[in-house]
Every structure is written in C-alpha cells, then in structure tokens.
C-alpha cells in the first residue's frame, strides 16, 4: 500500500524494543482493519547504536529523522553504558535529535484514566477525570543560557552560575503551540513564570499577553507564578487545561503533574519543532519512562505509554484524531476489564505481561471498529 506517512521508529534499549513491538502489532491491525499504512523505517539509537556503531546516534540516523514526518522513540540507556564518558552516553542520542530537529516544545499530558484513579497518591476526588497538558519550552532558558560555569573568586571561594535567557521569538513560538493546543481542547491557556522576581519572566508575560491580543483573543488566557502553580497542581489540578512554561519550571511542573496520575508506564509525551510554510513540523514522540533496566527482558513492561505516544503521533503529526481517540479509548477499556501490568497492579485485577496487554488492546480495537 503506498503511503505518504513517513515514520521513523527508534526503539532504543532495555524495554524500548519490547514496548515498541506492541505498537507494531497495532500498526499491522490498522493496515488490516482501517486501511491505514505508513512508510516505516527503523534504526538503532542509544546503547544499541554504541554497541553496533560506536556512537549513540549516527549522522545518517539524524538525517533519517529529519526526513521523516514523525519519529517514534522508545527509550535509551542502561548500566552497561554508564561508565562511558558524557559524549558517549546513550542519552546523547535524544539530546542530539532535539537539537538537530529544533524541537523546542515538549508536550506532557497528565491524564487520569478512570480505572487507574486509585493509583494516584492524591485523593480520587481531586484527580478523577484529570486531563491537562503541560507545554514546556525545551531548548532555551537556564539549561542553555550563557554565561554559565564555576569560577574561583578572589577570596578563594567558588561560585557557580547559570543564566536564564529568553528572547521574544523563543517565547512566542512556544506560546503559539500552547494557544493552538488550547483551541483544540477546552480553550484555556495558563502561562507560568516568575514575573515578580525575574526580568526574563516579565518579558515572558509581556510577550504572551501581546501575542494573545494579536492572534489568540478567543482563547482564555491566565498567568500564574510558578510556585503558585506547583501548589495549585496539587490542590486542584482540574482547574487547568493547557499550561505553557519555561524549560526549568516545565521540568519540575511536568514531573509533578505526571505523578498526579501515579503511573510512569502510562505516560506519553511529544516534542515539536516549528511549523514550516506548509504546516509540516518535525516531531518526536516518546514515553516519559526510561529503559527500565531492572525489568528489561522479562516481558513485563507496560506498553501503554509507548502506545499512547503513538496515539499522540497520529493526532499531532498526521491529524488522525479518530484513530488516536480509538486507541486512547481502547487503553481505558483494557484497564477497565481488569487487566494490569505489574506497575499498575491493583487488588482484584489480573496481572499480565507486555504481550498479553498488547493483544488485549487489539481485541478492544476490534470491538471499537465493529
Ligand atoms: P526508568 O523510567 O527507566 O525506570 C524507573 C522505574 O519505573 C523502574 O522501576 C522501572 O522498572 C519502572 N518502569 C519504567 N518504565 C516502565 C514500564 N513501561 N512498565 C513498567 N515499569 C516501568 O528510569 P531510571 O531507572 O531512572 O532510568 C533507567 C535508564 O533509563 C537510565 O539509563 C536513564 O538514563 C534512562 N532514561 C532514559 C530516558 C529516555 O530514553 N528518554 C528517560 C529517562 C531515563
């Protein structure tokens, strides 16, 4: 079947290939039952690439990622590569891809599926029905700002310093992603910074406000200081729809928000680049969990985060909303039927492995397509 959907799969290390296998099962099902096909290529990254090619990612793989319409990434890393120098670490592969593809907007949904409401450490009443999206700026801010370093002062003491910097275009482009997402959801965007104590935060607020007035007046915009946002996320997380924030605050707040759901093996993410004149943008999708070396090779990893990352890919790179929604509903249905991988196991449920979970998902897809 000819296809114009070019998809690069990079399963990586540890549980990465195991959970990616279940996405392949789903893709085969889509070809048969939905007549959807993809041009799929697959390549090595991370430790697998180090072992085979002596580098965490080759230039050819980076070029393949640039040529693809979307990249589905698994996870990289493991103790056997931990002793290598920083430039040879498996994690360099994902950092290289983010840089080379200009992926500046990291999308982290935090969704509490009804069957897993008790997995959260918060009360079920607080998180039931939660569905928020955090957009984290991911190529600027204090992690990349110059000057940075550690210097020795005249009195012999040492001083470490980093610089938070944001320019207008960096703020605008990530805010646009936030506004566009809000329009497809509940039409509410909360912009988060520390404009009360940081000049870069003040500029952030001014730029978002001006962009809102210029291009997005139909979206409900609010502003919040990052410390208050952390508190509000725990107090009443459902007040949020889309949150857009800086690299540093996004790092912290998205981890906090993901734990509202209580299950690492369930959480997808996307990282997007700028859209070109035709609307096409580089995009990489991956579960937020790592390579889970402690359970790799045992066939017990939860494949749902990888599968939900694929659903995000369908929605944001291929505008296949209907298929994405089907997959998301099938995930909820499988869990509601009482099947659980070990990481989300609950009393009264049946513990299953990666493959059985993947097969059960296909049966739910069958039911939905019937
Ligand atoms: P991790 O996410 O791999 O594992 C944390 C815990 O969650 C472990 O107990 C693991 O068994 C469990 N877990 C993770 N994914 C799971 C799944 N799908 N199903 C069931 N349980 C799951 O984090 P870590 O242990 O800190 O890191 C392990 C390796 O992964 C390190 O080398 C780290 O650098 C790497 N890492 C890679 C990425 C990435 O590829 N983007 C992200 C985070 C960590």
């Amino acid at each position: 079947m000819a296809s114009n959907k070019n998809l690069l799969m990079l399963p990586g290390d540890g549980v990465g290939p195991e959970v990616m296998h279940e996405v392949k099962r789903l893709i085969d099902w889509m070809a048969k039952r939905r007549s959807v096909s993809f041009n799929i290529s697959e390549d090595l990254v991370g430790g697998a690439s180090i072992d085979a090619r002596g580098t965490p990612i080759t230039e050819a793989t980076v070029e393949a990622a640039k040529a693809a319409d979307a990249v589905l990434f698994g996870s990289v890393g493991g103790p056997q590569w931990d002793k290598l120098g920083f430039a040879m670490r498996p994690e360099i592969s994902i950092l290289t891809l983010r840089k080379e593809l200009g992926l500046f907007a990291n999308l982290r949904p935090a969704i509490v599926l009804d069957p897993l409401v008790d997995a959260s450490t918060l009360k079920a009443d607080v998180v039931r029905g939660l569905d928020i999206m955090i957009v984290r700026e991911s190529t600027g801010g204090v992690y990349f700002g110059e000057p940075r370093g550690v210097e020795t002062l005249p009195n012999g003491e040492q001083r470490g310093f980093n610089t938070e910097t944001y320019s207008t275009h960096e703020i605008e482009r990530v805010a646009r992603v936030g506004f566009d997402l809000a329009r497809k959801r509940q039409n509410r965007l909360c912009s988060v910074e520390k404009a009360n104590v940081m000049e870069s935060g003040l500029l952030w607020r001014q730029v978002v406000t001006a962009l809102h007035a210029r291009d997005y007046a139909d979206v409900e915009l609010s502003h919040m200081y990052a410390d208050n946002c952390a508190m509000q996320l725990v107090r009443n997380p459902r007040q949020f729809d889309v949150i857009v924030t800086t690299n540093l605050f996004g790092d912290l707040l998205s981890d906090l928000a993901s734990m509202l759901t209580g299950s690492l093996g369930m959480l997808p993410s996307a990282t997007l680049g700028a859209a070109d004149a035709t609307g096409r943008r580089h995009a990489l999708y991956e579960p937020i969990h790592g390579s889970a070396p402690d359970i790799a090779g045992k066939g017990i990893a939860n494949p749902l985060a990888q599968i939900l990352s694929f659903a995000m890919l369908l929605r944001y790179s291929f505008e296949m909303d209907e298929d994405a929604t089907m997959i998301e509903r099938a995930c909820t249905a499988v869990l509601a039927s009482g099947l659980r991988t070990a990481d989300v196991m609950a009393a009264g449920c049946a513990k299953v492995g990666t493959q059985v979970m993947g097969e059960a998902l296909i049966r739910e897809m069958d039911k939905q397509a019937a």
Side-chain angles (χ1 to χ4, degrees), residues 24 64 68 80 107 110 152 174 184 199 242 257 259 262 267 295 362:
K24 291 177 186 165
Q80 60 271 54
L107 277 51
T152 303
V174 74
K184 291 185 177 174
E199 284 76 3
V242 181
M259 278 305 103
L267 295 168
I295 58 165
I362 296 295

Side-chain angles (χ1 to χ4, degrees), residues 11-297:
D13 309 316
V15 298
E18 299 172 36
V19 292
M20 193 70 87
H21 186 75
E22 301 311 315
V23 174
K24 291 177 186 165
R25 195 192 296 278
L26 185 56
I27 287 175
D28 288 345
W29 180 91
M30 289 177 76
K32 277 195 216 108
R33 295 296 304 269
R34 308 266 304 161
S35 302
V36 178
S37 69
F38 302 89
N39 283 330
I40 299 181
S41 41
E42 187 172 331
D43 211 337
L44 302 176
V45 275
S49 175
I50 293 172
D51 289 349
R53 301 165 178 166
T55 172
I57 186 163
T58 63
E59 274 177 33
T61 309
V62 171
E63 287 311 312
K66 285 182 180 167
D69 297 310
V71 178
L72 187 64
F73 194 91
S75 47
V76 290
Q80 60 271 54
W81 302 288
D82 277 353
K83 54 191 173 309
L84 301 173
F86 185 73
M88 275 293 281
R89 295 290 300 265
E91 291 78 3
I92 291 295
S93 57
I94 186 78
L95 299 179
T96 304
L97 284 171
R98 283 188 193 139
K99 182 161 168 271
E100 292 290 324
L101 272 60
L103 305 174
F104 63 84
N106 184 216
L107 277 51
R108 294 262 299 253
I111 298 173
V112 172
L113 302 179
D114 238 21
L116 291 184
V117 72
D118 290 320
S120 175
T121 49
L122 296 195
K123 290 187 192 123
D125 280 353
V126 176
V127 296
R128 183 172 286 114
L130 181 76
D131 180 358
I132 60 183
M133 176 73 86
I134 299 197
V135 181
R136 164 189 171 189
E137 199 291 326
S138 57
T139 53
V142 71
Y143 294 160
F144 297 94
E146 299 281 349
R148 60 189 295 160
V150 178
E151 64 182 7
T152 303
L153 300 173
N155 67 0
E157 201 186 356
Q158 286 201 301
R159 174 175 171 269
F161 53 98
N162 293 86
T163 309
E164 170 88 347
T165 75
Y166 272 113
S167 57
T168 311
H169 87 274
E170 287 176 301
I171 302 168
E172 248 191 49
R173 64 184 186 177
V174 74
R176 270 187 198 286
V177 172
F179 281 120
D180 288 339
L181 280 167
R183 274 185 177 157
K184 291 185 177 174
R185 295 167 47 97
Q186 295 170 36
N187 214 31
R188 291 185 290 120
L189 179 69
C190 180
S191 171
V192 172
E193 25 60 12
K194 289 278 287 178
N196 49 343
V197 287
M198 295 169 74
E199 284 76 3
S200 58
L202 190 58
L203 180 71
W204 181 284
R205 187 173 286 219
Q206 287 163 352
V207 171
V208 173
T209 304
L211 178 66
H212 176 245
R214 203 165 67 237
D215 291 343
Y216 294 97
D218 57 302
V219 179
E220 190 184 317
L221 172 67
S222 58
H223 302 275
M224 198 178 271
Y225 298 138
D227 47 345
N228 185 26
C229 183
M231 190 177 76
Q232 296 297 336
L233 275 170
V234 179
R235 194 181 72 86
N236 175 20
R238 281 183 307 223
Q239 69 185 281
F240 297 105
D241 177 22
V242 181
I243 291 172
V244 64
T245 189
T246 64
N247 201 347
L248 173 63
F249 295 141
D251 193 1
L252 308 181
L253 295 174
S254 62
D255 264 23
L256 190 161
S258 58
M259 278 305 103
L260 296 175
T261 72
S263 43
L264 203 60
M266 292 291 309
L267 295 168
S269 76
T271 327
L272 309 179
D276 66 16
T278 67
R280 181 182 182 274
R281 55 168 98 228
H282 288 309
L284 183 145
Y285 301 83
E286 58 178 326
I288 72 158
H289 64 72
S291 57
D294 53 336
I295 58 165

